[in-house]
Amino acid sequence: MITLEEAKAHCRVTPEETEFDGEIQIALDAAVDHLRSINVDVAADPFPPALKQAVLMLVAHFFENKEAVTPEKVWFTPIGVDRLIAPYRGVSL
């Protein structure tokens, strides 16, 4: 799985900048929870690189875009996430 330190590095937050730890941890938990909710197996060990990248992309997206919609823009999840997780999704019938 991804550590807080890895998520901070991906968001370009230094280890010394602890004021964002809670926010980044929430984003990390939300990213993993989101993948679980769409039937992606996040319990794999070792964790596949594509899933790791998808989680990190979601963390960065959540960290940078605090709201889903603003008067100026509508934010969507990064397009690459769908392609990265596709091989790991369970089939729903």
Side-chain angles (χ1 to χ4, degrees):
M1 192 55 72
I2 291 114
T3 65
L4 175 61
E5 290 74 25
E6 290 171 309
K8 286 175 71 167
H10 187 76
C11 292
R12 296 185 182 3
V13 175
T14 65
E16 296 78 26
E17 294 176 277
T18 58
E19 67 267 22
F20 299 112
D21 285 4
E23 187 176 338
I24 294 172
Q25 185 64 57
I26 289 170
L28 179 56
D29 294 342
V32 171
D33 190 49
H34 170 67
L35 294 185
R36 275 192 197 112
S37 76
I38 57 172
N39 295 324
V40 174
D41 180 12
V42 294
D45 187 25
F47 202 62
L51 289 183
K52 182 174 184 173
Q53 184 62 32
V55 169
L56 290 171
M57 288 172 70
L58 286 171
V59 169
H61 176 75
F62 295 155
F63 183 67
E64 290 296 321
N65 303 291
K66 309 294 188 229
E67 304 296 329
V69 178
T70 67
E72 298 82 29
K73 298 178 182 179
V74 177
W75 297 103
F76 299 96
T77 54
I79 193 166
V81 170
D82 286 337
R83 301 296 300 158
L84 289 166
I85 66 173
Y88 302 98
R89 287 189 72 178
V91 177
S92 297
L93 299 177

